[in-house]
Protein backbone atom coordinates (compact mmCIF):
# COMPACT_ATOMS: atom_id res chain seq x y z
CA UNK A 1 0.00 0.00 0.00
CA UNK A 2 1.42 3.35 -1.02
CA UNK A 3 1.80 6.26 1.35
CA UNK A 4 -1.30 8.40 1.77
CA UNK A 5 -1.25 11.84 0.17
CA UNK A 6 -0.74 14.74 2.53
CA UNK A 7 -3.94 16.13 3.96
CA UNK A 8 -5.72 12.79 4.41
CA UNK A 9 -6.51 11.63 7.95
CA UNK A 10 -5.00 8.18 7.34
CA UNK A 11 -1.30 7.71 7.87
CA UNK A 12 0.68 6.37 4.95
CA UNK A 13 2.03 2.83 5.19
CA UNK A 14 5.84 2.58 5.08
CA UNK A 15 6.80 -1.10 4.62
CA UNK A 16 10.53 -0.47 5.07
CA UNK A 17 9.91 1.35 8.35
CA UNK A 18 7.52 -1.34 9.63
CA UNK A 19 10.13 -4.00 8.84
CA UNK A 20 12.49 -2.45 11.39
CA UNK A 21 10.49 -4.11 14.19
CA UNK A 22 9.83 -7.82 13.82
CA UNK A 23 8.52 -10.24 16.43
CA UNK A 24 7.66 -13.93 16.38
CA UNK A 25 3.97 -14.55 16.95
CA UNK A 26 2.97 -15.19 20.55
CA UNK A 27 0.60 -18.14 21.00
CA UNK A 28 0.66 -18.90 17.27
CA UNK A 29 -2.00 -21.62 17.56
CA UNK A 30 -4.67 -19.35 19.06
CA UNK A 31 -7.53 -19.09 16.51
CA UNK A 32 -8.35 -15.52 15.55
CA UNK A 33 -11.23 -13.80 13.81
CA UNK A 34 -10.14 -10.32 12.75
CA UNK A 35 -13.40 -8.53 13.50
CA UNK A 36 -12.75 -5.36 11.51
CA UNK A 37 -10.69 -4.55 8.44
CA UNK A 38 -11.07 -2.72 5.16
CA UNK A 39 -10.20 -3.29 1.51
CA UNK A 40 -9.96 -0.38 -0.86
CA UNK A 41 -8.53 1.22 -3.95
CA UNK A 42 -8.69 4.94 -3.21
CA UNK A 43 -6.55 8.04 -3.84
CA UNK A 44 -4.76 7.55 -0.50
CA UNK A 45 -3.66 4.05 -1.43
CA UNK A 46 -4.62 0.47 -2.19
CA UNK A 47 -5.21 -2.42 0.19
CA UNK A 48 -6.64 -5.43 -1.59
CA UNK A 49 -6.86 -9.17 -1.01
CA UNK A 50 -3.16 -9.84 -1.70
CA UNK A 51 -2.19 -7.21 0.88
CA UNK A 52 -4.59 -8.61 3.48
CA UNK A 53 -3.42 -12.14 2.78
CA UNK A 54 0.21 -11.16 3.26
CA UNK A 55 -0.66 -9.62 6.63
CA UNK A 56 -2.69 -12.66 7.66
CA UNK A 57 0.43 -14.77 7.11
CA UNK A 58 2.38 -12.87 9.77
CA UNK A 59 2.49 -15.92 12.05
CA UNK A 60 -0.88 -15.68 13.81
CA UNK A 61 -3.67 -18.17 13.17
CA UNK A 62 -6.17 -15.79 11.57
CA UNK A 63 -9.00 -18.06 10.45
CA UNK A 64 -11.57 -15.51 9.26
CA UNK A 65 -12.14 -11.78 8.90
CA UNK A 66 -14.99 -9.28 8.93
CA UNK A 67 -14.97 -6.74 6.10
CA UNK A 68 -16.29 -3.30 7.08
CA UNK A 69 -17.50 -0.65 4.65
CA UNK A 70 -14.62 1.21 3.11
CA UNK A 71 -16.19 3.65 0.63
CA UNK A 72 -14.57 1.82 -2.26
CA UNK A 73 -15.80 -0.01 -5.38
CA UNK A 74 -19.12 1.81 -5.33
CA UNK A 75 -21.19 1.69 -8.50
CA UNK A 76 -20.38 4.73 -10.66
CA UNK A 77 -23.98 5.46 -11.61
CA UNK A 78 -27.58 4.58 -10.85
CA UNK A 79 -29.54 5.68 -7.78
CA UNK A 80 -27.27 7.17 -5.12
CA UNK A 81 -28.73 4.92 -2.42
CA UNK A 82 -27.78 1.78 -4.35
CA UNK A 83 -24.21 2.68 -5.26
CA UNK A 84 -22.74 1.01 -2.13
CA UNK A 85 -24.07 -2.31 -3.47
CA UNK A 86 -20.97 -2.40 -5.67
CA UNK A 87 -18.75 -2.57 -2.62
CA UNK A 88 -20.62 -5.60 -1.30
CA UNK A 89 -20.32 -7.31 -4.69
CA UNK A 90 -16.58 -6.66 -4.51
CA UNK A 91 -16.19 -7.91 -0.92
CA UNK A 92 -18.27 -10.99 -1.65
CA UNK A 93 -16.01 -11.73 -4.61
CA UNK A 94 -12.95 -11.55 -2.36
CA UNK A 95 -14.73 -13.86 0.09
CA UNK A 96 -15.38 -16.36 -2.70
CA UNK A 97 -11.73 -16.14 -3.75
CA UNK A 98 -10.60 -16.85 -0.19
CA UNK A 99 -13.13 -19.67 0.20
CA UNK A 100 -11.70 -21.46 -2.83
CA UNK A 101 -9.04 -23.05 -0.64
CA UNK A 102 -6.22 -21.89 -2.90
CA UNK A 103 -4.96 -19.54 -0.20
CA UNK A 104 -5.10 -21.82 2.81
CA UNK A 105 -7.54 -21.90 5.70
CA UNK A 106 -8.24 -18.18 5.76
CA UNK A 107 -11.85 -17.14 5.26
CA UNK A 108 -11.32 -13.48 4.39
CA UNK A 109 -14.51 -11.38 4.33
CA UNK A 110 -16.51 -14.24 5.83
CA UNK A 111 -18.85 -11.54 7.16
CA UNK A 112 -19.58 -8.24 5.44
CA UNK A 113 -20.62 -4.96 7.07
CA UNK A 114 -21.90 -2.73 4.28
CA UNK A 115 -23.03 0.86 3.89
CA UNK A 116 -26.66 1.88 3.55
CA UNK A 117 -27.99 5.36 4.20
CA UNK A 118 -30.03 4.71 7.33
CA UNK A 119 -31.45 8.23 7.32
CA UNK A 120 -33.80 6.88 4.63
CA UNK A 121 -35.79 5.30 7.46
CA UNK A 122 -38.30 2.77 6.19
CA UNK A 123 -37.23 3.61 2.61
CA UNK A 124 -33.94 1.82 3.30
CA UNK A 125 -35.67 -1.56 2.91
CA UNK A 126 -35.08 -1.96 -0.86
CA UNK A 127 -31.45 -0.96 -0.34
CA UNK A 128 -31.05 -3.67 2.29
CA UNK A 129 -32.69 -6.15 -0.07
CA UNK A 130 -30.15 -5.28 -2.76
CA UNK A 131 -27.22 -5.52 -0.33
CA UNK A 132 -28.38 -8.93 0.88
CA UNK A 133 -28.63 -10.20 -2.69
CA UNK A 134 -25.14 -8.89 -3.46
CA UNK A 135 -23.65 -10.38 -0.31
CA UNK A 136 -25.21 -13.79 -0.63
CA UNK A 137 -25.25 -15.23 2.86
CA UNK A 138 -22.37 -13.04 4.06
CA UNK A 139 -24.07 -9.69 4.78
CA UNK A 140 -24.12 -9.23 8.55
CA UNK A 141 -24.43 -5.54 9.26
CA UNK A 142 -24.43 -1.90 8.23
CA UNK A 143 -22.21 1.04 9.07
CA UNK A 144 -22.59 4.74 8.23
CA UNK A 145 -20.03 7.52 8.58
CA UNK A 146 -20.92 8.99 11.96
CA UNK A 147 -17.67 9.97 13.74
CA UNK A 148 -17.91 13.76 13.96
CA UNK A 149 -16.29 16.52 15.96
CA UNK A 150 -16.32 20.28 15.42
CA UNK A 151 -12.54 20.66 15.77
CA UNK A 152 -10.75 20.45 12.39
CA UNK A 153 -7.97 18.23 13.76
CA UNK A 154 -10.40 15.59 15.03
CA UNK A 155 -11.01 13.78 11.78
CA UNK A 156 -10.63 10.17 10.73
CA UNK A 157 -12.45 9.98 7.41
CA UNK A 158 -11.43 11.49 4.08
CA UNK A 159 -15.08 12.42 3.49
CA UNK A 160 -16.37 14.32 6.55
CA UNK A 161 -19.69 12.97 7.87
CA UNK A 162 -22.70 15.10 8.62
CA UNK A 163 -23.13 16.03 12.31
CA UNK A 164 -26.02 14.67 14.32
CA UNK A 165 -26.69 11.49 12.36
CA UNK A 166 -26.91 9.29 15.45
CA UNK A 167 -29.88 11.33 16.70
CA UNK A 168 -31.57 11.61 13.29
CA UNK A 169 -35.12 10.19 13.42
CA UNK A 170 -34.73 8.49 10.06
CA UNK A 171 -31.38 7.00 11.08
CA UNK A 172 -32.95 5.49 14.19
CA UNK A 173 -35.82 4.01 12.17
CA UNK A 174 -33.32 2.54 9.73
CA UNK A 175 -31.34 1.10 12.65
CA UNK A 176 -34.47 -0.53 14.05
CA UNK A 177 -35.09 -2.18 10.70
CA UNK A 178 -31.63 -3.74 10.87
CA UNK A 179 -32.62 -5.50 14.08
CA UNK A 180 -35.73 -6.93 12.46
CA UNK A 181 -33.54 -8.48 9.77
CA UNK A 182 -30.97 -9.83 12.20
CA UNK A 183 -28.36 -7.34 10.97
CA UNK A 184 -26.00 -5.46 13.30
CA UNK A 185 -25.24 -1.74 13.33
CA UNK A 186 -21.54 -0.87 13.52
CA UNK A 187 -21.00 2.63 14.94
CA UNK A 188 -17.78 4.60 14.78
CA UNK A 189 -18.05 7.55 17.17
CA UNK A 190 -15.62 9.65 19.17
CA UNK A 191 -15.77 9.67 22.95
CA UNK A 192 -17.52 13.04 22.82
CA UNK A 193 -20.45 11.29 21.06
CA UNK A 194 -20.94 8.39 23.46
CA UNK A 195 -24.07 9.90 25.02
CA UNK A 196 -25.58 9.92 21.52
CA UNK A 197 -24.63 6.27 21.11
CA UNK A 198 -26.34 5.44 24.42
CA UNK A 199 -29.52 7.21 23.30
CA UNK A 200 -29.39 5.33 20.00
CA UNK A 201 -29.02 2.00 21.82
CA UNK A 202 -32.06 2.85 23.95
CA UNK A 203 -34.07 3.83 20.87
CA UNK A 204 -33.18 0.57 19.08
CA UNK A 205 -33.25 -2.10 21.82
CA UNK A 206 -33.67 -4.98 19.38
CA UNK A 207 -30.68 -4.00 17.23
CA UNK A 208 -27.21 -5.16 18.19
CA UNK A 209 -24.89 -2.16 18.14
CA UNK A 210 -21.18 -2.81 17.65
CA UNK A 211 -19.14 0.13 18.92
CA UNK A 212 -15.97 0.40 16.86
CA UNK A 213 -12.46 1.29 18.00
CA UNK A 214 -12.97 1.29 21.78
CA UNK A 215 -15.38 4.21 21.61
CA UNK A 216 -12.92 6.64 20.06
CA UNK A 217 -10.91 8.27 22.86
CA UNK A 218 -9.56 11.49 21.29
CA UNK A 219 -5.92 12.48 21.72
CA UNK A 220 -5.53 15.35 19.25
CA UNK A 221 -6.99 18.82 18.75
CA UNK A 222 -8.64 20.02 21.97
CA UNK A 223 -7.40 16.88 23.78
CA UNK A 224 -3.75 17.04 22.72
CA UNK A 225 -1.64 16.73 25.87
CA UNK A 226 -4.78 16.09 27.97
CA UNK A 227 -4.95 12.29 27.86
CA UNK A 228 -6.03 11.92 31.51
CA UNK A 229 -8.94 14.31 31.01
CA UNK A 230 -10.00 12.60 27.80
CA UNK A 231 -9.78 9.20 29.50
CA UNK A 232 -11.99 10.36 32.38
CA UNK A 233 -14.65 11.63 29.98
CA UNK A 234 -14.39 8.49 27.85
CA UNK A 235 -14.71 6.22 30.89
CA UNK A 236 -17.94 7.91 32.01
CA UNK A 237 -19.42 7.43 28.55
CA UNK A 238 -18.31 3.81 28.29
CA UNK A 239 -19.66 2.98 31.73
CA UNK A 240 -23.07 4.22 30.61
CA UNK A 241 -22.85 2.16 27.43
CA UNK A 242 -21.95 -0.98 29.36
CA UNK A 243 -25.44 -0.82 30.88
CA UNK A 244 -26.99 -1.19 27.41
CA UNK A 245 -27.23 -4.98 26.86
CA UNK A 246 -27.61 -4.61 23.08
CA UNK A 247 -24.13 -3.08 22.71
CA UNK A 248 -20.73 -4.72 22.28
CA UNK A 249 -17.35 -3.08 21.73
CA UNK A 250 -14.48 -3.71 19.33
CA UNK A 251 -11.04 -3.53 20.90
CA UNK A 252 -8.67 -1.84 18.47
CA UNK A 253 -8.38 1.20 16.26
CA UNK A 254 -6.03 2.87 18.73
CA UNK A 255 -3.26 3.37 16.17
CA UNK A 256 -5.16 6.02 14.26
CA UNK A 257 -3.80 9.56 14.19
CA UNK A 258 -6.93 10.82 16.01
CA UNK A 259 -6.02 8.78 19.09
CA UNK A 260 -2.89 10.83 19.68
CA UNK A 261 -0.43 7.93 20.05
CA UNK A 262 2.25 9.25 17.70
CA UNK A 263 4.15 5.99 17.22
CA UNK A 264 4.58 6.87 13.54
CA UNK A 265 6.92 9.72 14.53
CA UNK A 266 9.48 7.37 16.08
CA UNK A 267 12.65 6.25 14.33
CA UNK A 268 11.48 2.65 14.70
CA UNK A 269 7.95 1.27 14.85
CA UNK A 270 6.61 0.18 18.24
CA UNK A 271 6.92 -3.32 19.58
CA UNK A 272 4.06 -5.17 21.21
CA UNK A 273 5.28 -4.25 24.71
CA UNK A 274 5.14 -0.55 23.78
CA UNK A 275 1.62 -0.90 22.44
CA UNK A 276 0.38 -2.94 25.38
CA UNK A 277 1.70 -0.35 27.84
CA UNK A 278 0.12 2.55 25.93
CA UNK A 279 -3.23 0.87 25.35
CA UNK A 280 -3.68 -0.99 28.62
CA UNK A 281 -5.78 1.71 30.34
CA UNK A 282 -8.37 1.78 27.54
CA UNK A 283 -8.40 -1.94 26.73
CA UNK A 284 -8.39 -2.86 30.41
CA UNK A 285 -11.32 -0.55 31.16
CA UNK A 286 -13.30 -2.00 28.24
CA UNK A 287 -12.73 -5.52 29.53
CA UNK A 288 -13.71 -4.53 33.07
CA UNK A 289 -16.87 -2.76 31.91
CA UNK A 290 -18.12 -5.11 29.21
CA UNK A 291 -16.42 -8.45 29.89
CA UNK A 292 -14.92 -10.76 27.24
CA UNK A 293 -18.34 -11.94 26.05
CA UNK A 294 -19.08 -8.39 24.84
CA UNK A 295 -15.62 -7.55 23.47
CA UNK A 296 -13.91 -8.56 20.23
CA UNK A 297 -10.46 -7.72 18.90
CA UNK A 298 -10.04 -5.95 15.55
CA UNK A 299 -7.05 -4.98 13.43
CA UNK A 300 -8.62 -1.94 11.72
CA UNK A 301 -6.18 -2.56 8.88
CA UNK A 302 -4.92 -0.93 6.78
CA UNK A 303 -5.77 2.24 8.75
CA UNK A 304 -3.72 1.21 11.80
CA UNK A 305 -0.91 -0.06 9.57
CA UNK A 306 0.44 3.48 9.47
CA UNK A 307 1.77 2.89 13.01
CA UNK A 308 2.14 -0.86 13.48
CA UNK A 309 2.55 -4.12 11.58
CA UNK A 310 -0.11 -6.84 11.69
CA UNK A 311 2.02 -9.36 13.56
CA UNK A 312 3.08 -6.90 16.25
CA UNK A 313 -0.51 -5.67 16.64
CA UNK A 314 -1.86 -9.13 17.44
CA UNK A 315 1.05 -9.77 19.80
CA UNK A 316 0.01 -6.61 21.68
CA UNK A 317 -3.57 -7.86 21.92
CA UNK A 318 -2.35 -11.19 23.25
CA UNK A 319 -0.27 -9.41 25.88
CA UNK A 320 -3.29 -7.32 26.87
CA UNK A 321 -5.39 -10.48 27.24
CA UNK A 322 -2.79 -12.22 29.41
CA UNK A 323 -4.39 -13.54 32.58
CA UNK A 324 -7.74 -14.24 30.95
CA UNK A 325 -9.12 -17.74 31.33
CA UNK A 326 -9.14 -20.04 28.29
CA UNK A 327 -12.86 -19.38 27.79
CA UNK A 328 -12.37 -15.62 28.06
CA UNK A 329 -9.44 -15.73 25.63
CA UNK A 330 -11.49 -17.72 23.15
CA UNK A 331 -14.32 -15.16 23.39
CA UNK A 332 -12.01 -12.21 22.82
CA UNK A 333 -10.15 -13.61 19.85
CA UNK A 334 -12.94 -15.42 18.01
CA UNK A 335 -15.99 -16.40 20.06
CA UNK A 336 -17.67 -13.00 20.40
CA UNK A 337 -17.01 -12.19 16.75
CA UNK A 338 -18.50 -15.51 15.68
CA UNK A 339 -21.62 -14.89 17.75
CA UNK A 340 -22.17 -11.25 16.78
CA UNK A 341 -21.49 -11.75 13.09
CA UNK A 342 -23.03 -15.25 12.91
CA UNK A 343 -19.97 -17.02 11.59
CA UNK A 344 -20.47 -20.74 11.19
CA UNK A 345 -17.81 -22.98 12.72
CA UNK A 346 -17.45 -24.68 9.35
CA UNK A 347 -16.70 -21.36 7.67
CA UNK A 348 -13.80 -20.67 9.99
CA UNK A 349 -12.57 -24.23 9.76
CA UNK A 350 -12.18 -25.61 13.20
CA UNK A 351 -12.89 -22.67 15.51
CA UNK A 352 -15.36 -23.93 18.13
Amino acid sequence: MAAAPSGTPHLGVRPDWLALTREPALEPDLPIVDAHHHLWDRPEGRYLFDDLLADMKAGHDVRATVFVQSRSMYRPDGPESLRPVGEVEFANGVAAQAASGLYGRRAACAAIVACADLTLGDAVEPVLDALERAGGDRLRGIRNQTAWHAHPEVVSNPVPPKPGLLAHAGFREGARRLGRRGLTLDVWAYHTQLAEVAALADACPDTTIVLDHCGGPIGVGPYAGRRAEAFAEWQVGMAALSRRPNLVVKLGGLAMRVGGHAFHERARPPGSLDLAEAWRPVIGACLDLFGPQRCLFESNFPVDKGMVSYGVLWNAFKRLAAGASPAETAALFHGTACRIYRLDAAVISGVP
Side-chain angles (χ1 to χ4, degrees), residues 10-31:
H10 297 156
L11 296 168
V13 175
R14 296 169 289 164
D16 292 344
W17 179 75
L18 289 173
L20 296 175
T21 298
R22 296 182 181 274
E23 297 179 357
L26 302 173
E27 301 180 73
D29 297 326
L30 175 62

Side-chain angles (χ1 to χ4, degrees), residues 92-118:
N92 198 36
V94 172
Q97 187 179 3
S100 70
L102 293 176
Y103 307 94
R105 189 177 58 180
R106 295 180 176 89
C109 305
I112 296 172
V113 176
C115 178
D117 181 4
L118 294 179

Side-chain angles (χ1 to χ4, degrees), residues 54-283:
D55 284 329
M56 291 170 73
K57 292 179 178 178
H60 297 279
D61 191 6
V62 181
R63 304 280 184 89
T65 74
V66 178
F67 169 86
V68 178
Q69 62 89 210
S70 310
R71 198 178 42 79
S72 189
M73 307 297 180
Y74 280 18
R75 292 176 175 175
D77 47 33
E80 189 74 27
S81 63
L82 293 175
R83 292 186 183 183
V85 174
E87 182 173 60
V88 176
E89 292 169 331
F90 159 68
N92 198 36
V94 172
Q97 187 179 3
S100 70
L102 293 176
Y103 307 94
R105 189 177 58 180
R106 295 180 176 89
C109 305
I112 296 172
V113 176
C115 178
D117 181 4
L118 294 179
T119 64
L120 293 170
D122 59 1
V124 79
E125 290 286 0
V127 178
L128 298 177
D129 290 340
L131 292 170
E132 288 187 330
R133 287 193 298 269
D137 63 351
R138 294 187 175 99
L139 186 71
R140 293 293 184 269
I142 298 296
R143 187 175 81 153
N144 285 191
Q145 293 172 203
T146 54
W148 181 87
H149 194 282
H151 196 284
E153 291 182 31
V154 183
V155 59
S156 56
N157 196 295
V159 178
K162 296 177 181 178
L165 285 182
L166 296 173
H168 189 285
F171 185 95
R172 290 183 174 186
E173 178 56 32
R176 283 189 283 268
R177 289 178 180 270
L178 298 183
R180 295 169 197 162
R181 287 175 176 251
L183 297 174
T184 64
L185 173 61
D186 263 62
V187 172
W188 170 213
Y190 302 128
H191 83 260
T192 49
Q193 297 174 279
L194 294 184
E196 297 174 52
V197 179
L200 176 67
D202 290 342
C204 310
D206 297 323
T207 300
T208 296
I209 295 175
V210 185
L211 182 66
D212 295 342
H213 314 329
C214 296
I218 302 171
V220 298
Y223 290 95
R226 299 166 59 196
R227 190 169 300 281
E229 183 177 338
F231 180 83
E233 292 180 9
W234 169 86
Q235 194 168 32
V236 169
M238 293 297 283
L241 288 178
S242 71
R243 297 190 288 272
R244 273 67 183 184
N246 58 324
L247 189 141
V248 300
V249 60
K250 285 180 179 175
L251 306 181
L254 297 175
M256 289 187 284
R257 191 199 306 267
V258 73
H261 294 288
F263 291 113
H264 60 293
E265 296 178 359
R266 296 185 178 187
R268 300 177 65 89
S272 58
L273 284 169
D274 299 314
L275 297 173
E277 180 180 1
W279 297 346
R280 193 176 305 280
V282 168
I283 299 290

Side-chain angles (χ1 to χ4, degrees), residues 1-6 8 10-15 43-46:
M1 178 179 172
S6 61
T8 66
H10 297 156
L11 296 168
V13 175
R14 296 169 289 164
E44 63 263 34
R46 305 177 76 188

